[in-house]
Every structure is written in structure tokens, then in C-alpha cells.
Amino acid sequence: DELERTLAELEQRVADRTQELSSANRQLAEATRDKTRFLAAASHDLLQPLHAARLFTAALTRDAEPGTQQLAQRIDSAIGAADGLIRALLDISRLDAGGVEPSPEPVALKPFLTDLAESFVPMAEDKGLALRIGPMGGHVHTDPGLLRSILQNFLSNALRYTPEGVVLIGTRRRGARIRIDIIDTGVGIAEDQIEAIFAEFTRLGTVEAEGLGLGLALSERIARLLGGVIEVKSMPGRGSRFSLSLPASDAIDMPMPYSASARAIWPDRALKVLVVDNDPLIVEGTTSLLGLLGHDPHGADGPAAALAEPGPFDAALVDYQLGASIDGLALIAALRDKHPGLPAALVTAQGSPDLARRAARMGVVLIAKPAGADLIGGFLASVARAREPA
């Protein structure tokens, strides 16, 4: 009888403890979701003034003496670093909370990697480095936005930690997988440090670098989500190879859409551009920049003001969160009812895959805040080129 009572008590204790653990796990999951929602809202509010500041510095750079231009460029670089840190913190939080769902699609690596490399040419030129492109054939079936995030981190690190020499990007077929390589002739990494660099807040101390060392930690999480494998080979003083291996796909080549991150080509043709944002500073900063670029901007501080503008317009730059019953994509649809075929870009701090899919279905370019002159100018340059007679 005593043994049976003891066994019953143990079973009850196990059941009680299991219930307590389940309750604690639920509370932890709810807290994680609350933290992610808070960081998402906070990041949007932080990115709004950063976006306005970047617009003003871009305008200042275009219309200032050389000494002032250099200071404005340093300010812009600092804003970009703050933006990167905010986004990295948010992305890590979302990944840890399971809030990131990949949207895989066929990706032809040659145009994808060529476009990526082109966006890093200015950074390489500023450091006097050669950015070379090797063989880049093959296809993968993956989320292109998440893939770009990993490779951007690899490329920026390669350029940052290479004082002189070459950075090479290419691909190799390895059985049923494709390996994407970023190879540099930089400072290299000791073998006993390679595992440590993927921890949060870890940076190499060999050269001065910006940020808090979140990029590789974020890249490793994203790679796991995509079913990819990261490999690092390095030799101190000789350089490094950062590689991402993904399952190969037999998809056919698909044309690359316009990428807002491509280097801008400033057209001679002025465009009449509608600028819509519920933040007056952003409207002012955008219109100032567009005016200095030779365009004819018209600002509106909300949907009603935008729809009241007579037009016609050559293009529209529209915020997503307008503080009204209508969001940016719905406003673009309404504007297109008045101005059929209106080219539009959604300039937003929101970066969800669902929003990107909705924008793509409407043929709307997505530009992430805080955006500088190259992103906005590049979009308008593509609109101007499309309107040129054949």
C-alpha cells in the first residue's frame, strides 16, 4: 500500500511539473511574440527619422561645397550603420521567434549574383579593391530576399577586412548542391576563431569595423532556415573563403526584375513625381532631394491630399503606413485609377515577405527605409529610361 501511495504521489508530481513547464513555455512564447511585435513597431518608428535624415544628407551632398559634401557622406554612413544594426536586431528576434517564413522560388544565380556584385562596386572602388566575378551558372530554389541577406553580409565583410587585393564571387557545382563562394585576399581568420565569429557581438579585432558583429550570427540562422550550409576556409594573412551551399534546381533562366539596390543612372529627362508620406519631414526631405536631381516633385501628407493632386504624374513615391484607413498599396491602386499605368515605388520600413509579394503582384518597386539618393534616383532613372522613345 505504501509503495502504491508513493507511486501515485510521484505520478501526480510529474503531472504537476509537466503542467508547470507547459505553462512556462506558453508564457515564454507569448513574451517572445510580444518582444518581436514591440521591436517591429519600435524599428519602424526609429527608421522614420533616419529616413528623413538620409534624404536631407543626400540633398546636402548634391548641393554643397566639397568639404561639406564629405561631412554629409560621413553622416550618411553613420545613418546606414544605425539602420543595419536596427534591422539585424529585428531579424534575429523574428528568426528566434519563428516569425520568418521563407518564400522559395526559382533563382537563376548568374543575374542574381551579377546584380548583387554591381551594388558593391562603389564600396570596392572607395577602398581601391578589385571586385571580380567568376563562373556563376546554376539555379537554386530558395527565398531570394533571405539569400541576398546572407551574401550581402559575406560580401561586405570581405570588402571590410581586405586592405588590398581582390574579392571574388562565383559558384561551383558539388553533386546535387551548388556552392556560392565569396573569396578575398584579406587579413584572414585563425582556425580557432572561425566558430567564434558566428556568435552574437563578435568581431575580428584586426581592423577597424563598424557595427556590433550581428551579421554572421544572423546569416547562420537564415542559412539553417533555407536548408543551406555555411563553410569557412581561411588563412591568417592570406585571405578567406565564405561559402553557402544550397540544393541545386533545374529551373530555366528567368529575367531579373529591376533591383532598387542597383547603381543609379541619372537621366537628363526631368520627371513629375508625386511624393506621399504622413511625416512632413520625409515629404520635405524627398522633395528637396528630387528638386536637386532635376525632377519636379509634388508633396502630399496623406491619401486625401495625394488623390487631390491633379497630375498627370510620371511616377509616385508612396509610404506604406499612412496613418489612415488606406495603406500605401491601396493608395497606389487608387492613383492608378486616375493615372493609368503610373509607375510607383513603395518606400517603407516594413519588410515582411507578404508585403513584398503584394507589391510584386502590382508591379510596385519596394524601397526600404532609410533610403538614400541612389535607391530613389535609381528607380526614377529606370522610369525615365522606360519612357524614352525606342
Side-chain angles (χ1 to χ4, degrees):
D1 290 344
E2 184 65 25
L3 286 173
E4 288 178 352
R5 282 195 299 271
T6 301
L7 179 60
E9 290 175 0
L10 286 173
E11 290 176 344
Q12 184 60 44
R13 289 178 185 177
V14 169
D16 291 344
R17 185 55 177 163
T18 301
Q19 186 175 1
E20 290 173 5
L21 288 173
S22 298
S23 177
N25 286 333
R26 285 194 300 271
Q27 292 174 7
L28 180 60
E30 291 172 2
T32 302
R33 286 193 294 269
D34 289 342
K35 180 188 70 174
T36 302
R37 285 194 295 268
F38 169 77
L39 285 173
S43 67
H44 176 269
D45 292 342
L46 285 171
L47 290 174
Q48 285 288 97
L50 286 178
H51 180 59
R54 201 159 203 182
L55 291 169
F56 284 120
T57 55
L60 184 62
T61 302
R62 301 281 301 181
D63 191 38
E65 297 297 324
T68 305
Q69 287 182 356
Q70 186 177 11
L71 290 174
Q73 289 168 355
R74 289 182 178 274
I75 294 171
D76 186 71
S77 176
I79 293 171
D83 168 47
L85 177 58
I86 292 169
R87 292 186 187 280
L89 288 169
L90 177 60
D91 288 343
I92 285 178
S93 176
R94 290 172 60 211
L95 285 165
D96 287 345
V100 177
E101 290 291 336
S103 300
E105 60 184 66
V107 177
L109 289 176
K110 184 174 181 179
F112 181 87
L113 296 176
T114 299
D115 178 73
L116 176 65
E118 178 71 9
S119 69
F120 278 87
V121 168
M123 183 177 177
E125 290 177 345
D126 286 345
K127 292 196 65 177
L129 301 174
L131 181 56
R132 296 179 182 169
I133 297 175
M136 295 198 302
H139 301 76
V140 292
H141 190 77
T142 191
D143 186 306
L146 295 176
L147 174 61
R148 190 180 185 96
S149 178
I150 296 174
L151 299 179
Q152 278 180 331
N153 180 258
F154 287 178
L155 261 176
S156 62
N157 281 346
L159 292 169
R160 181 178 297 129
Y161 289 102
T162 303
E164 59 182 6
V166 178
V167 174
L168 172 71
I169 179 171
T171 64
R172 290 177 180 270
R173 183 73 181 241
R174 290 291 183 264
R177 301 178 74 85
I178 289 182
R179 196 183 76 195
I180 305 170
D181 295 331
I182 310 292
I183 304 170
D184 65 68
T185 58
V187 297
I189 309 165
E191 186 174 354
D192 60 356
Q193 289 185 297
I194 289 178
E195 185 176 348
I197 62 175
F198 288 93
E200 292 92 340
F201 308 107
T202 300
R203 297 187 309 182
L204 290 176
T206 50
V207 297
E208 183 179 352
E210 298 174 346
L212 292 180
L214 293 171
L216 288 175
L218 179 59
S219 295
E220 189 176 46
R221 286 169 165 82
I222 296 174
R224 288 200 300 265
L225 194 66
L226 298 179
V229 177
I230 292 176
E231 180 185 17
V232 181
K233 298 290 184 182
S234 187
M235 183 178 296
R238 297 287 298 275
S240 304
R241 169 173 64 82
F242 279 73
S243 302
L244 174 66
S245 173
L246 292 167
S249 170
D250 296 325
I252 61 173
D253 284 326
M254 300 178 65
M256 281 288 292
Y258 163 77
S259 172
S261 64
R263 297 173 70 194
I265 301 173
W266 309 109
D268 294 330
R269 185 177 183 274
L271 301 178
K272 187 175 181 180
V273 184
L274 177 64
V275 178
V276 188
D277 199 294
N278 62 337
D279 188 329
L281 274 178
I282 291 177
V283 174
E284 182 183 354
T286 307
T287 54
S288 298
L289 174 62
L290 296 186
L292 289 169
L293 294 178
H295 296 295
D296 178 21
H298 293 256
D301 60 2
L307 292 170
E309 288 283 342
F313 296 102
D314 296 307
L317 301 170
V318 182
D319 184 25
Y320 178 67
Q321 291 185 330
L322 295 171
S325 58
I326 183 173
D327 63 35
L329 287 179
L331 176 59
I332 289 171
L335 288 169
R336 285 176 171 173
D337 289 338
K338 290 186 61 179
H339 314 289
L342 177 68
L346 196 68
V347 187
T348 177
Q350 297 290 325
S352 69
D354 179 64
L355 180 60
R357 286 191 292 269
R358 289 173 57 201
R361 284 196 297 268
M362 292 178 60
V364 174
V365 171
L366 202 63
I367 298 178
K369 291 181 178 178
D374 281 353
L375 299 180
I376 294 172
F379 164 68
L380 295 177
S382 70
V383 173
R385 290 195 298 273
R387 289 177 178 271
E388 290 175 356

